[in-house]
Amino acid sequence: MTDDLLARHRAVLPNWVALNYDQPLEITSGKGCRVTDAEGRSYLDFFGGILTNMLGYDVPEVREAVERQLATGVVHTSTLYLIRHQVELAEKIARLSGISEAKVFFTNSGTEANETALLLATAARGSNQVLALRNSYHGRSFGAVAITGNAAWKPSAHSPLNVHYLHGTDRQLPAFAGMSDAEYTRAAVADLRHVLATAVAADVACFIAEPVQGVGGFTMPPAGLFAAYQEVFDERGILFISDEVQTGWGRTGESFWGIGAHGVVPDMMTFAKGVGNGFALGGVVARGELMDGLRVNGISTFGGNPVSTAAANATLDYVLTHDLQARAATLGQLIIGGLRDAAGPLPAVGEVRGKGLMFAVEMVDPLTRQPSPSLAARMLEETRERGLLVGKGGLYGHALRMAPPLTLSNAEAEEGLAILIDALRAVSADATAAARKASQR
């Protein structure tokens, strides 16, 4: 049955729609942090629909909130009418944002949210010049692709924006080798000032960045780099957009928003993914004068609809009442620490990094230590065989990236960690043996 579905998928869907695994799976049911495929096999899910099923599957509080809304018969109205769940959710997000006199606009996705933020910034500043980070990813629309700093995700060279890329997560480059956090920050700020002196004309609209780069393989700048950038932005009136699509809602453990690691409050934040726990919802929270700055008509047909905002209210309430940020911090230390301990003697394992329940493992050639996307792909197969679902990413496609539901139990964290370590040891041993054999020919 799965083979038949795969053939039908390939016949009618674009070939650039990626599927994991040599034999892609169909997920047919889920409960808690586990899913079941069409063949009846159960898996512990450490990727959550790309960080979207933040509370896991079949959560009673979310399901009941959606069912109550469905029972009214009102699935959709559009923003031309008052939507109670939307207003209630906006009030919560505005309060939690820390942004002064914040207002919220809802969309259907993180891509749309980033497009909206770019629209607000370019309109406010009268400029189409944007600063972004290398190795970043902000979505698949025309404008979002233009600010994405990863060639593997840029299908078009055309752009509505004039974009310049800054340093932030590229400390592996020879120019920065051996630098401390403080030294790297000083070098990055010096480069920012040089870009502003040489590459831009007149005003720059904004800087947009992910506090932890999602598709980039959960790479991140040193804490405080964005605060140092902010000092320069303040001199020039440049707006700061924090892309919290993957880092919001306590995911990193140390703060509710990823930007909290840098000690600055941005002018805008974009969000999506986990807030609806699987229901399509995204948005922008921004300073009121920026949000109100558009002097044209505007609506959102589907963004913030009654069903998705009912789900999001229940999801956000659950995160707060169960203090899932603290759980992310505790279990993240357990898993990341365990992975680092295990990685030491394994030649095919590179950097282990992460914050909270957002962590990654780089796979490298055991002899050259160069990125190895083939070993990352092998790890996906090995973890699946052992009953664990993970994702991958990174600039070279060589990083395993994992973000379990924030409701993960201690026992499930230990189970997932054990599977990962077992798979890493097996893949590293095979890769090392193959590399040695090849070098002896």
Side-chain angles (χ1 to χ4, degrees):
M1 182 177 296
T2 299
D3 289 343
D4 175 63
L5 185 61
L6 176 59
R8 291 163 58 193
H9 175 283
R10 287 175 171 162
V12 296
L13 293 173
N15 59 13
W16 44 261
V17 174
L19 288 168
N20 281 346
Y21 308 112
D22 292 337
Q23 295 297 318
L25 61 82
E26 176 192 4
I27 294 174
T28 57
S29 64
K31 183 74 175 179
C33 296
R34 298 181 188 275
V35 296
T36 302
D37 68 14
E39 308 302 320
R41 183 169 184 191
S42 177
Y43 304 88
L44 179 61
D45 187 0
F46 260 33
F47 204 38
I50 317 179
L51 293 84
T52 299
N53 297 302
M54 184 165 64
L55 305 184
Y57 300 85
D58 194 24
V59 180
E61 290 85 346
V62 177
R63 183 183 68 248
E64 291 164 6
V66 170
E67 288 174 346
R68 286 193 298 270
Q69 181 58 42
L70 291 175
T72 69
V74 179
V75 173
H76 173 71
T77 63
S78 90
T79 54
L80 292 173
Y81 304 93
L82 291 170
I83 302 173
R84 185 170 298 275
H85 294 317
Q86 184 184 94
V87 173
E88 292 170 347
L89 182 61
E91 290 171 339
K92 294 171 187 175
I93 293 172
R95 183 177 67 252
L96 291 164
S97 72
I99 296 173
S100 177
E101 298 181 351
K103 289 192 173 184
V104 182
F105 179 79
F106 291 106
T107 64
N108 299 290
S109 67
T111 294
E112 286 183 54
N114 285 329
E115 285 279 359
T116 302
L118 291 170
L119 175 64
L120 294 173
T122 55
R125 295 280 291 160
S127 169
N128 76 335
Q129 296 187 110
V130 174
L131 303 174
L133 284 188
R134 300 180 183 190
N135 198 40
S136 59
Y137 175 82
H138 297 285
R140 58 176 175 76
S141 64
F142 193 46
V145 163
I147 57 170
T148 288
N150 183 326
W153 294 89
K154 290 177 75 73
S156 173
H158 300 290
S159 173
L161 301 165
N162 187 350
V163 186
H164 300 282
Y165 293 98
L166 305 180
H167 298 293
T169 65
D170 49 9
R171 296 173 68 171
Q172 79 283 0
L173 296 178
F176 308 120
M179 285 187 176
S180 66
D181 286 357
E183 290 168 336
Y184 177 78
T185 296
R186 285 195 293 272
V189 171
D191 178 73
L192 164 60
R193 290 191 178 279
H194 194 254
V195 167
L196 294 176
T198 62
V200 305
D203 293 334
V204 172
C206 63
F207 169 66
I208 183 168
E210 307 154 273
V212 180
Q213 293 178 330
V215 170
F218 294 170
T219 49
M220 66 196 82
L225 174 62
F226 291 158
Y229 276 172
Q230 184 69 61
E231 293 180 9
V232 180
F233 300 152
D234 286 344
E235 296 171 6
R236 303 281 292 262
I238 299 169
L239 301 173
F240 182 14
I241 304 167
S242 183
D243 180 341
E244 300 278 351
V245 169
Q246 297 196 32
T247 51
W249 324 115
R251 166 67 65 181
T252 65
E254 65 182 12
S255 55
F256 194 74
W257 305 99
I259 195 62
H262 296 268
V264 295
V265 177
D267 299 286
M268 297 183 241
M269 292 190 293
T270 58
F271 57 85
K273 290 198 181 288
V275 69
N277 200 51
F279 285 85
L281 185 67
V284 182
V285 55
R287 289 192 285 112
E289 69 270 23
L290 288 174
M291 192 67 81
D292 290 338
L294 297 183
R295 305 302 183 198
V296 296
N297 293 326
I299 62 168
S300 183
T301 302
F302 290 107
N305 68 75
V307 176
S308 65
T309 50
N313 273 299
T315 299
L316 188 49
D317 289 347
Y318 193 104
V319 168
L320 297 172
T321 58
H322 291 78
D323 196 8
L324 295 189
Q325 178 184 328
R327 170 157 288 279
T330 299
L331 294 185
Q333 290 177 351
L334 174 101
I335 296 172
I336 295 168
L339 288 171
R340 284 175 173 158
D341 289 343
L346 301 179
V349 180
E351 183 182 12
V352 175
R353 56 178 174 265
K355 289 184 178 182
L357 289 177
M358 189 175 190
F359 47 91
V361 179
E362 289 189 343
M363 303 303 296
V364 298
D365 182 281
L367 295 185
T368 67
R369 304 292 289 175
Q370 293 301 302
S372 178
S374 63
L375 290 183
R378 170 81 187 281
M379 272 296 297
L380 256 67
E381 301 294 341
E382 293 292 332
T383 51
R384 175 188 177 179
E385 182 63 27
R386 291 162 172 78
L388 181 71
L389 303 183
V390 302
K392 65 184 179 72
L395 185 61
Y396 305 106
H398 68 299
L400 306 173
R401 57 186 186 124
M402 293 154 280
L406 301 184
T407 54
L408 191 74
S409 69
N410 288 43
E412 289 167 332
E414 295 278 9
E415 176 187 351
L417 175 61
I419 292 173
L420 283 167
I421 291 173
D422 186 58
L424 285 169
R425 286 172 175 164
V427 171
S428 186
D430 288 349
T432 301
R436 286 174 178 166
K437 185 177 180 179
S439 68
Q440 294 169 357
R441 290 175 183 169

